Amino acid sequence: MNLIVFPVILYLLSAFLIALIWKEDEKLSGIACLSFSILVFISVILLGKYVFLNERIIYFVGNWQIPIGITLMVDALSYIFLVVVNFVLPVICWFSNSYMRKYTKPGYFYILFSLISAGLNGILISMDFFNIYVFLEISSIASYILVAFGLRTEELEASLKYTMIGFIGSTLILIGIGLILGKTGTLNISDFMSAILNINKIQLLFILGLFISGFALKTALFPFHFWLPDAHSLAPSPVSAILSGLFIKVTGFYMLVRIITNIFIIFPESKIIIMALGLISMIFGSLMAIDQIDIKRTYAYSSISQIGYCALALGIGGYYGYLGAILHFIYHSFSKSLLFLNSGAIEYRYKTTKIEELKGLSDKMPYTTATGSIGMLSISGIPPFGCFWSKIIIIIAAIKSFYYGIAFICVIVSVITLGYFLKLKRNIFDSKGEGEKFEEVNFNLLMPMVILSILIFFGGLILLPEVKIYLDKAVGVMQNFSYIQIGER
Amino acid sequence: MVTNIFFHVFLLSMMVIGSMVAVFSRKLISSLVSLGTVGMLISIYFLILGAPDIAITQLVVEVLALIILLCAITGRDVTADMTSSKVYVFLFIFIFVISILTFISYSNFIFPEFGNTNMRVGKEYLYLATEKLKSANAVTAIVLDFRGYDTIGEATVIFTAIIGVMVLLRKKGKKDE
Amino acid sequence: MNKGMSEIVKTISKIVVPFIIIFGISVIFYGHLTPGGGFPGGVIISASFVLLLLAYGREKVLSKLSLYKSDILHDIGAIMFLSVSLIGFAGGVFFLNIFNKGKLFSLWSGGNLLFSNIAIGLKVGTSLFLGITLLSMARIIHKENKIEFYEKEEDIK
Amino acid sequence: MIVYIFIAFMFFIGIYGMMAKKNIIKMIIGMNIIGYAVNLFFIVLGYKSGGIQPILVPGMDIKEFVERAVNPLPQALVLTSIVIDLSIICFLAALSIRIYEKYGTFDLEKIRRLKG
């Protein structure tokens, strides 16, 4: 049962030990960070037995009961997020072991990498408002620093803009927590839920509004998305893989799921707000992604539109809506991280990510082209690959709850996504341009991409009955779990 | 402790004036100094509100923040031009008016009444700190034992910031530059 | 190369700094009895180092507490605080306070409060000093307007 | 009620300083003021009129201490959020030094190399 705290402690320990001992040595710090992240993945797998045995684990830090101490809780939904996050992190760490040689002092990169992962895992397992805020702050500050890791002029300015907007988001969340503390006096979510009954609805609406705007700002939904293209496209590739693959999903989407489906249940109309925001950001992201000149900016805009997909699926609700949201989160994390690692491999050889300077990669870099095209086809929803299944389920959910217009828009947006990804694929991979060609990247850069593409290729297997049980449990959590049930027992 | 409301209002109005000077003054040094006065006033107000160790921390942290910002300013341009971008000003006035209206109309719903705080968990913390933990200072007991998991996150935040300063102030970002 | 402030400031700070450090240490050690604790004490100690830094200039202070030493201390403080919480695993739960609690107003009264206070004080004290010295080292040489550090190798070690 | 209005004024002055000003240092000062206003808001939430500090003085009886003491929970949170604001300002000072080295000025108008 103590395994629940291991994801956070092991990453913190790895950050402090790398800072103490291996900071100057490039190779050793990379290997240490990789071994710690693999250890965390193993401990998360071992945790699974408990989670699915007795429905959820509740862990009192320091043996203090509900309202006094901090309680940690992992149920089916947060367990799926934990598994996906802690599978992609070692893969990215393996990729950055050889990619970060281009930067000076990569030891600091591994420290910040383990701090971001500690923050993400800390958010996923905690059940206490202020605890979520503190771990949100750790991962946000570590991501502000990592965006500016290359110390070039654009990266510094993108990091400045990202810090300002991230600070506003965190302050909104902190004011919401302050209001909760003021009115109910407790910080524990289940204690807050049991104290919720004697608060008037206007107070709750105000707190819900603050939380939704704060977390929507962190997940770059439509009105607050303008920081994302600069931050994600200028950061080093493994960092933008973490940011748009995992960071905006855990700090933004996971918290929105918790707040809308598990905490503020008495406001079902908040789902409509999220659906509207998701719809607009879906359309806006794909339209903006069409005429980009840089590979990573296209990927950044496409991740805005895919986050819109997840928010839309969350807003539609019902069994299929929630299932589509979780599946789209899983597949989009895999394929978007794959795409950013792919652009990193291209940049590793060609020193540029401008589309017109990259011609005819397929003849000299066959594996990079193969994995890159698998990622692109999967996000645009081609049948055998991953995101096709989640998009189909989201469209079914829209049709089942009679939103025919939304289902139609989903189809159009996935067609637009297919459009700009095919354009990208044709220009970079298949075109027969001249110019000097570089040979394939070495093994260390290639294997992470191959692993992710294999996972996407066999994406359909997740819908087999025996694997689907875990997904149904997570959907069940989203449908009828409320934190108040923990307080009763 | 001082109970009449006059003292609270006097300190708060001083703070608001100080922060106005800090934002609107032309020379950066004078705005930094007025920032220092705002921090000092807040530290005194914390004492009145019955939070002595927060007052100590606020006082010294505010001095260090002042020194950090002075390090950023010395040897660089010291005056800031006063023109502010028009678009943001209108956006700000719009947000300001909307939120003040909602604030005044719903304020007794949203904010708890000033004098009495909701001691739902606070009372148990006071009782447990003195009885179970035998520690006289309830705030330190909360920070380090009841909610010690937060303080680990807290220590990591300082650790991240210092690593950030080390990362940002190294000589060269990329090797091939 | 700044040689610190005027003679008056140097003599006064030479007198005052020991008292500030003692006050900071007392705030750390009696954190669970009197107002204060890990954070305020640590910040006071780093403020006293920064006062020395401003009064005497960087070379004298760095000769006593070089950046390398404060970097090591800063990591050791962090690991100490994490290990204080890991000791709780011996008692079965993550952050358990397994030491005996002692009498109400004695120094050893709060179980592991005292050790956490010391660890946090050490960490905050050295890390803020490290941050501020690094920030104050970034000077601009107006020749080619590039950041020119005084970070010569021996300065660091 | 009046206290909350003053805190709201400080908060909006900080937001104005952060949004409308074009100088990076002015933005950092605005963020600092926002941090002060939110910390003050937390402590004001925990104030009990006529309450004493939550630290037991040797001569006092525990029952009476528990009755009269101020709420200690917001103070524990403010200890954390004060240090979070300090670390954000420390990071931003280093970033502004770096930006000054590249652009030669703190003024954001000349820094607008990124479009949109």
Side-chain angles (χ1 to χ4, degrees):
Chain A
M1 276 297 281
N2 288 337
L3 270 173
I4 190 174
V5 200
F6 271 33
V8 176
I9 294 181
L10 282 177
Y11 270 124
L12 286 181
L13 216 59
S14 98
F16 295 148
L17 286 178
I18 293 176
L20 189 63
I21 307 161
W22 303 298
K23 184 164 54 176
E24 298 311 324
D25 180 331
E26 280 183 12
K27 270 170 57 57
L28 263 178
S29 49
I31 293 161
C33 183
L34 187 62
S35 49
F36 270 105
S37 47
I38 290 171
L39 260 172
V40 168
F41 181 61
I42 294 165
S43 67
V44 163
I45 295 294
L46 295 178
L47 195 66
K49 164 158 67 58
Y50 296 101
V51 171
F52 293 106
L53 221 57
N54 40 30
E55 201 200 345
R56 71 174 66 86
I57 315 175
I58 296 168
Y59 187 86
F60 301 117
V61 176
N63 244 345
W64 301 108
Q65 295 315 319
I66 282 280
I68 303 295
I70 296 170
T71 59
L72 310 178
M73 195 257 311
V74 173
D75 56 4
L77 177 66
S78 50
Y79 183 70
I80 282 184
F81 273 83
L82 267 174
V83 167
V84 170
V85 163
N86 285 313
F87 175 78
V88 175
L89 281 175
V91 166
I92 293 178
C93 187
W94 183 5
F95 180 85
S96 58
N97 265 355
S98 51
Y99 179 82
M100 288 314 283
R101 296 258 164 72
K102 287 198 309 171
Y103 290 83
T104 58
K105 285 192 181 167
Y108 289 116
F109 172 80
Y110 297 114
I111 301 171
L112 291 166
F113 176 87
S114 28
L115 285 172
I116 272 196
S117 346
L120 291 183
N121 288 326
I123 292 171
L124 286 175
I125 61 175
S126 92
M127 193 182 93
D128 186 285
F129 281 120
F130 194 72
N131 202 4
I132 290 173
Y133 171 73
V134 170
F135 279 107
L136 187 73
E137 271 307 302
I138 296 176
S139 40
S140 307
I141 293 182
S143 68
Y144 304 150
I145 300 165
L146 275 174
V147 167
F149 197 80
L151 293 186
R152 281 204 309 270
T153 331
E154 290 84 13
E155 287 173 17
L156 291 169
E157 209 222 323
S159 165
L160 178 70
K161 191 196 289 191
Y162 181 30
T163 319
M164 294 293 169
I165 291 155
F167 179 79
I168 294 179
S170 310
T171 326
L172 288 178
I173 297 166
L174 194 59
I175 297 169
I177 294 173
L179 290 178
I180 286 176
L181 185 70
K183 265 308 191 186
T184 60
T186 70
L187 282 172
N188 197 302
I189 296 182
S190 75
D191 204 24
F192 165 70
M193 292 284 290
S194 52
I196 215 170
L197 312 173
N198 49 36
I199 310 176
N200 51 53
K201 285 181 81 88
I202 297 166
Q203 159 89 357
L204 276 182
L205 206 59
F206 200 69
I207 294 174
L208 179 63
L210 279 173
F211 273 142
I212 283 188
S213 50
F215 286 117
L217 203 137
K218 287 279 174 183
T219 186
L221 281 181
F222 174 68
F224 312 108
H225 67 285
F226 38 83
W227 56 272
L228 190 129
D230 302 334
H232 287 207
S233 61
L234 290 166
S237 301
V239 173
S240 43
I242 299 169
L243 282 182
S244 69
L246 307 170
F247 185 77
I248 50 176
K249 293 201 173 39
V250 170
T251 53
F253 180 64
Y254 171 77
M255 287 313 299
L256 280 180
V257 164
R258 281 296 185 195
I259 283 169
I260 288 169
T261 58
N262 296 88
I263 300 176
F264 291 92
I265 310 165
I266 54 174
F267 288 116
E269 61 272 6
S270 58
K271 283 205 181 96
I272 297 166
I273 302 168
I274 292 296
M275 195 194 321
L277 288 181
L279 201 63
I280 307 168
S281 59
M282 188 168 77
I283 299 164
F284 177 81
S286 47
L287 287 181
M288 284 294 286
I290 290 173
D291 56 354
Q292 292 301 327
I293 55 169
D294 184 311
I295 307 178
K296 288 171 86 169
R297 278 186 89 85
T298 9
Y299 293 157
Y301 277 112
S302 96
S303 66
I304 294 179
S305 84
Q306 300 307 319
I307 276 282
Y309 257 95
C310 298
L312 182 75
L314 172 67
I316 293 171
Y319 174 76
Y320 283 105
Y322 290 140
L323 184 65
I326 296 178
L327 273 180
H328 200 65
F329 153 73
I330 295 171
Y331 291 133
H332 186 255
S333 298
F334 289 141
S335 33
K336 191 44 67 73
S337 311
L338 170 63
L339 283 181
F340 270 115
L341 294 187
N342 195 283
S343 72
I346 295 169
E347 197 186 355
Y348 191 79
R349 279 288 180 252
Y350 280 80
K351 298 285 179 299
T352 165
T353 53
K354 292 281 182 295
I355 294 182
E356 65 273 2
E357 286 154 19
L358 300 163
K359 277 283 179 292
L361 261 71
S362 55
D363 42 14
K364 267 290 186 63
M365 294 171 86
Y367 295 106
T368 328
T369 9
T371 49
S373 39
I374 284 178
M376 289 183 194
L377 294 178
S378 110
I379 286 194
S380 40
I382 304 297
F385 302 116
C387 285
F388 163 73
W389 307 100
S390 56
K391 283 186 178 169
I392 287 293
I393 289 176
I394 292 172
I395 291 168
I396 293 168
I399 292 169
K400 227 180 227 326
S401 46
F402 308 113
Y403 296 124
Y404 296 110
I406 290 179
F408 184 63
I409 293 173
C410 283
V411 172
I412 291 180
V413 169
S414 67
V415 164
I416 297 171
T417 326
L418 182 65
Y420 64 75
F421 269 131
L422 282 187
K423 178 174 83 74
L424 209 59
K425 187 166 141 16
R426 197 169 11 80
N427 285 358
I428 299 175
F429 293 133
D430 307 336
S431 61
K432 283 290 156 288
E434 62 304 335
E436 26 99 11
K437 298 284 187 296
F438 294 93
E439 68 291 344
E440 189 54 280
V441 282
N442 54 39
F443 175 77
N444 267 337
L445 287 171
L446 209 52
M447 268 319 285
M449 294 197 281
V450 168
I451 292 171
L452 284 174
S453 53
I454 289 170
L455 262 166
I456 299 169
F457 193 81
F458 297 112
L461 299 184
I462 209 167
L463 294 175
L464 294 179
E466 62 272 359
V467 181
K468 201 159 176 300
I469 298 164
Y470 301 111
L471 282 176
D472 293 345
K473 281 204 168 133
V475 173
V477 161
M478 285 170 85
Q479 268 172 334
N480 41 40
F481 167 73
S482 134
Y483 278 97
I484 208 162
Q485 296 157 3
I486 296 177
E488 268 105 24
R489 267 205 309 280
Chain B
M1 282 298 165
V2 180
T3 55
N4 57 354
I5 203 72
F6 165 72
F7 207 77
H8 294 257
V9 169
F10 169 72
L11 273 178
L12 282 168
S13 51
M14 284 299 130
M15 283 180 223
V16 168
I17 295 164
S19 48
M20 270 186 172
V21 168
V23 168
F24 293 118
S25 79
R26 186 167 148 60
K27 294 183 72 60
L28 287 177
I29 303 282
S30 66
S31 61
L32 268 183
V33 166
S34 56
L35 190 71
T37 54
V38 169
M40 169 70 85
L41 286 166
I42 284 182
S43 152
I44 296 168
Y45 195 49
F46 280 157
L47 267 179
I48 291 172
L49 290 177
D53 45 15
I54 313 289
I56 303 173
T57 325
Q58 163 72 16
L59 194 63
V60 188
V61 156
E62 175 258 323
V63 166
L64 287 181
L66 215 60
I67 292 170
I68 286 171
L69 284 177
L70 278 175
C71 284
I73 281 183
T74 49
R76 300 171 181 81
D77 60 349
V78 184
T79 60
D81 65 340
M82 281 307 292
T83 61
S84 48
S85 51
K86 287 290 165 288
V87 167
Y88 282 111
V89 170
F90 288 122
L91 190 66
F92 168 76
I93 291 170
F94 175 72
I95 295 172
F96 181 71
V97 166
I98 295 284
S99 38
I100 283 296
L101 287 181
T102 52
F103 181 85
I104 289 171
S105 52
Y106 290 113
S107 71
N108 42 22
F109 287 110
I110 293 167
F111 297 109
E113 204 259 340
F114 172 52
N116 53 15
T117 167
N118 189 327
M119 291 289 278
R120 178 187 174 100
V121 186
K123 202 175 285 300
E124 278 150 35
Y125 275 136
L126 289 170
Y127 186 71
L128 279 173
T130 46
E131 286 306 320
K132 289 280 298 284
L133 268 184
K134 294 279 186 297
S135 129
N137 186 346
V139 177
T140 321
I142 294 176
V143 163
L144 289 175
D145 196 341
F146 297 127
R147 300 185 68 91
Y149 188 49
D150 277 351
T151 319
I152 286 185
E154 177 42 46
T156 337
V157 167
I158 310 174
F159 183 79
T160 333
I162 297 307
I163 294 287
V165 170
M166 284 192 213
V167 159
L168 281 174
L169 292 185
R170 63 182 198 253
K171 287 205 176 68
K172 208 154 47 103
K174 283 200 152 146
K175 283 212 177 91
D176 51 17
E177 227 155 47
Chain C
M1 298 277 278
N2 50 3
K3 276 285 163 288
M5 298 180 183
S6 69
E7 212 46 46
I8 305 163
V9 175
K10 282 190 181 165
T11 44
I12 292 176
S13 70
K14 204 190 304 174
I15 298 160
V16 164
V17 159
F19 291 107
I20 300 178
I21 290 183
I22 292 169
F23 173 64
I25 291 172
S26 77
V27 163
I28 288 179
F29 271 82
Y30 287 97
H32 51 285
L33 302 175
T34 63
F39 288 118
V43 175
I44 288 169
I45 287 178
S46 72
S48 65
F49 289 149
V50 169
L51 172 62
L52 274 179
L53 180 78
L54 295 180
Y56 283 90
R58 202 172 304 111
E59 277 59 39
K60 255 170 79 64
V61 177
L62 282 186
S63 61
K64 283 199 207 53
L65 175 67
S66 81
L67 285 175
Y68 183 74
K69 277 202 222 92
S70 56
D71 193 6
I72 296 289
L73 279 174
H74 148 67
D75 296 327
I76 288 174
I79 290 177
M80 254 167 65
F81 186 59
L82 200 62
S83 55
V84 165
S85 65
L86 291 181
I87 293 169
F89 267 128
V93 190
F94 174 44
F95 219 91
L96 196 60
N97 194 340
I98 56 174
F99 302 102
N100 59 355
K101 302 295 185 293
K103 297 194 302 303
L104 185 52
F105 288 108
S106 75
L107 178 62
W108 305 99
S109 63
N112 66 357
L113 284 189
L114 184 61
F115 309 122
S116 321
N117 263 334
I118 296 168
I120 283 274
L122 174 70
K123 176 177 179 13
V124 173
T126 42
S127 62
L128 284 176
F129 169 71
L130 187 63
I132 289 176
T133 18
L134 278 176
L135 282 172
S136 67
M137 282 165 110
R139 278 283 168 276
I140 290 228
I141 302 272
H142 282 294
K143 281 203 302 305
E144 75 287 341
N145 205 1
K146 292 274 304 140
I147 273 211
E148 188 51 59
F149 286 133
Y150 290 92
E151 237 178 73
K152 291 182 279 303
E153 283 324 309
E154 80 285 349
D155 223 2
I156 285 281
K157 286 295 165 292
Chain D
M1 230 310 275
I2 307 160
V3 180
Y4 292 117
I5 289 185
F6 277 108
I7 294 174
F9 269 142
M10 256 181 92
F11 181 75
F12 283 114
I13 288 168
I15 289 226
Y16 179 79
M18 207 173 138
M19 274 168 57
K21 286 297 167 189
K22 298 208 293 296
N23 191 322
I24 301 178
I25 302 294
K26 271 290 164 64
M27 277 183 158
I28 299 176
I29 290 171
M31 290 169 92
N32 216 342
I33 291 175
I34 292 174
Y36 287 165
V38 174
N39 294 340
L40 197 57
F41 174 62
F42 266 78
I43 295 286
V44 158
L45 285 178
Y47 177 64
K48 176 189 280 189
S49 53
I52 60 168
Q53 58 190 7
I55 292 152
L56 194 61
V57 178
M60 197 186 297
D61 160 58
I62 288 182
K63 287 288 168 300
E64 192 238 356
F65 165 73
V66 171
E67 281 317 311
R68 285 189 55 217
V70 179
N71 186 357
L73 185 57
Q75 297 176 13
L77 307 183
V78 166
L79 254 177
T80 314
S81 79
I82 281 181
V83 183
I84 288 180
D85 292 339
L86 178 71
S87 41
I88 285 187
I89 282 155
C90 197
F91 161 72
L92 273 176
L95 194 66
S96 60
I97 286 175
R98 215 48 203 198
I99 285 180
Y100 187 89
E101 177 226 348
K102 291 285 193 322
Y103 285 104
T105 165
F106 282 134
D107 195 335
L108 276 180
E109 279 319 307
K110 302 186 186 64
I111 290 172
R112 278 281 178 271
R113 194 179 281 190
L114 287 167
K115 54 177 175 29

